[in-house]
Amino acid sequence: MRGVGAVLRGAPRAATGLAVLGAALLVAPLLVDDYLLSVILITLYFAFVGQAWNLMMGYAGQLSLGHALYVGLGGYAAAAFFVHFGLTPWAGMVIGILVAAAFAAGIGLLAFRFGIGGVYFALLTIAVAEFTRILFEHFEWVGATGGFFLPVENREINDLLMLRGSPAMFYYVILAMTVGLFLANVALIRSRMGYYWMAIREDQDAAQALGINTFRYKMMAVVLSASLTALGGVFLAFYNNNLFPIDAFGIHRSIEIILAPIIGGLGTLFGPILGAFILTPLGEVLTWALDQLGVQMAGVKHLFYGLVLLVIIRSLPGGVWPWFARRLGIEGPEARP
Amino acid sequence: MTDAPLLDVRLISKSFRGLRAVSQVSLAVRPGEIVGLIGPNGAGKTTTFNMIAGVFPPDEGEIRFDGADITGLRADQVCHAGIGRTFQLVKPFYGLSVEDNVLIGALRATRDVDAARAAAVDLLDRFGLADRRHQAAGALTLPDRKRLEVARAMATRPRLLLLDEVMAGLRPGETDEMVQVFQTLNRETGLTILMIEHVMRAVMALSQHIVVLNYGERIAEGEPEQVVRDPKVLESYLGEEAV
Ligand SMILES: Nc1ncnc2c1ncn2[C@@H]1O[C@H](COP(=O)(O)OP(=O)(O)OP(=O)(O)O)[C@@H](O)[C@H]1O
Ligand SMILES: [Mg+2]
């Protein structure tokens, strides 16, 4: 916790704000209706996967545009073992993480060994995600294009072991995951690995000259980010109770994951969380407004996200968080655009 | 000076698409010695450094450090072997603070971030950057970036330091300060230095030995006073520069 303390040092307003936010999130299920709770829940989910993606892009500087791959792999693996063998998702999650980690290691090995970097690396991540989507569209064991469904039996009884239960239970699970990942990131970014990632992001040649095995540390970033994203995928699959290849692996899903950290602030600890809290509610308000107006247009939401992204990048190139942090009186890396 | 050389470069060559940038160059640096590597633009000095530092392997020849063959090792492995280097075109981690830049170098020798930070603060003090340590490295002036480049390389605790034109762009007073820092480091810690330098004032003040390259070949070597009088050297290089 020394790390969080350091971030908030000399910023009492930020510390108070954080405490209030924490308390509000803790009691939210008692205060808000099911719909609002589901919005906060999805916001927390995007904060979780956004943080996972940010480790790789924001800190290690490796752009993945195919992160839905890991959401899908994690979700499908845990769901399949649950449905077919009755395996608890807490064990299924390990399988999902291993599969996702293996895919990530494959991509990393291919890219970093053969010097595929930058745009080509990003294209490779898209290609593997698309390839996997097509694979799953023919994968009968998990329902192929028809989709794969988890039984929804009893929403009254909270079975944490099998991750079956009420929205409030899912809410607390994702809240714990998101806060847990945030605290883990605080420690990680202040460890040798965190500094080595940032060195690689800033200048690979200089990093290597300082004794950093860039291949090894990039691989660790990719595998760790993928594993955490897969964990998010397990949660999402058990919350939604259904999986479709296009919705699990599609490029639009990958883009959704990266919007919050970009808007919030790449390479900052709070950025992905703030970004999710800005973007997801805005998207909901838009959906509601369009409903009221009777407008039925596919893709309007994505168009809107694109616009928000454009506006933010033009006015606050480092994202909203660094700007906000400076206003709160926070200094150091979190406030640097 | 009968010591075995700390760095022993034997007949290394490197070609870039037919252009022979370095041709059968040998040089030796003894422990505790400061050696200058000079020559006109494009002579192959930086290319020689890059081969020693593991940026790319030589096409032929051998590089030995402290008795071990380090030919073809990766840059990070060469660093771990005990060789630190600076880049002619400085490569600070722009988005990170000056202190974090040096801290990352110090993490070569320790996993402990607090210990690395303490080492970084010490070094920044030595290079006159202590008051700027919380600034982003990208906000530094060129002379300060050069100092940072050296401090960061020193943070890896090298036994041999490769300096690529760290005096370029410094004012005479700043050059003298930097010369003093290296003299002190050399005297106090026995740091061995191989330096590429165009600023003859610094070369003459620091070097105990000089190697001259021209068109990728070694055309002279020896004591500074004797080398700068060598007609071949004067013709190729020093003539234009007027010592
Ligand atoms: N990576 C590279 N690819 C192709 N050619 C290169 C490369 N590096 C250097 N060269 C060429 O090799 C020759 C030697 O360059 P080098 O940078 O070693 O010279 P130098 O002695 O350091 O010169 P300067 O004093 O200008 O820094 C030059 O002709 C240069 O253009
Ligand atoms: Mg050069």
Side-chain angles (χ1 to χ4, degrees), chain A residues 14-26:
Chain A
T16 315
L18 201 63
V20 171
L21 180 70
L25 285 172
L26 264 183

Side-chain angles (χ1 to χ4, degrees), chain B residues 98-113:
Chain B
V98 169
E99 182 176 295
D100 285 351
N101 266 262
V102 182
L103 179 152
I104 287 167
L107 286 170
R108 210 281 304 159
T110 170
R111 262 178 187 286
D112 183 345
V113 173

Side-chain angles (χ1 to χ4, degrees), chain A residues 2 113 190-192 195-196 198-214 216-217 333 336, chain B residues 74-76 79-80 85 87 91 93-97 100 103-105 107-108 110-111 113-114 117 134 136 152 156:
Chain A
R2 219 188 102 259
R113 266 285 174 255
R190 279 140 211 282
S191 73
R192 172 149 88 164
Y195 281 106
Y196 276 8
M198 290 186 272
I200 290 168
R201 175 191 75 195
E202 295 290 317
D203 194 311
Q204 284 211 55
D205 294 334
Q208 244 191 333
L210 296 178
I212 301 173
N213 183 338
T214 52
R216 187 202 293 168
Y217 281 93
R336 206 168 283 142
Chain B
R74 288 191 317 265
D76 55 297
C79 175
H80 281 283
R85 64 98 40 107
F87 291 93
K91 294 177 183 286
F93 301 130
Y94 286 95
L96 305 183
S97 72
D100 285 351
L103 179 152
I104 287 167
L107 286 170
R108 210 281 304 159
T110 170
R111 262 178 187 286
V113 173
D114 292 332
R117 192 174 299 281
H134 295 304
R152 195 175 61 175
T156 67

Side-chain angles (χ1 to χ4, degrees), chain A residues 92-239:
Chain A
M93 156 188 114
V94 177
I95 299 170
I97 286 175
L98 287 177
V99 173
F103 268 71
I107 292 175
L109 217 57
L110 205 65
F112 305 145
R113 266 285 174 255
F114 297 100
I116 299 171
V119 177
Y120 299 102
F121 176 76
L123 286 178
L124 181 66
T125 62
I126 298 178
V128 176
E130 281 297 289
F131 169 79
T132 311
R133 172 179 65 80
I134 293 164
L135 210 68
F136 271 70
E137 282 173 351
H138 301 276
F139 196 0
E140 291 297 340
W141 192 57
V142 287
T145 37
F148 191 61
F149 302 91
L150 287 88
V152 192
E153 282 138 11
N154 197 334
R155 293 195 135 234
E156 302 307 307
I157 300 163
N158 290 329
D159 182 354
L160 201 55
L161 180 68
M162 287 299 171
L163 217 55
R164 308 279 72 198
S166 66
M169 183 198 77
F170 281 100
Y171 172 83
Y172 282 116
V173 169
I174 192 68
L175 179 62
M177 283 168 66
T178 303
V179 172
L181 180 53
F182 173 77
L183 294 177
N185 282 350
V186 171
L188 191 60
I189 291 317
R190 279 140 211 282
S191 73
R192 172 149 88 164
M193 179 132 84
Y195 281 106
Y196 276 8
W197 283 345
M198 290 186 272
I200 290 168
R201 175 191 75 195
E202 295 290 317
D203 194 311
Q204 284 211 55
D205 294 334
Q208 244 191 333
L210 296 178
I212 301 173
N213 183 338
T214 52
F215 173 74
R216 187 202 293 168
Y217 281 93
K218 282 193 286 185
M219 285 297 283
M220 287 205 257
V222 170
V223 168
L224 186 63
S225 176
S227 303
L228 289 164
T229 306
L231 196 59
V234 176
F235 171 84
L236 195 68
F238 278 72
Y239 175 67

Side-chain angles (χ1 to χ4, degrees), chain B residues 14-17 19-22 37-50 55-56 88 164-165 196-198 213-216 237:
Chain B
K14 183 81 194 174
S15 298
F16 296 112
R17 283 185 227 95
L19 169 85
R20 211 155 158 81
V22 172
L37 182 60
I38 65 171
N41 292 116
K45 304 180 298 291
T46 299
T47 304
T48 302
F49 260 31
N50 282 339
V55 174
F56 38 67
Q88 181 174 359
D164 198 346
E165 298 198 26
I196 296 176
E197 200 48 81
H198 281 297
L213 297 188
N214 193 22
Y215 292 113
Y237 177 54

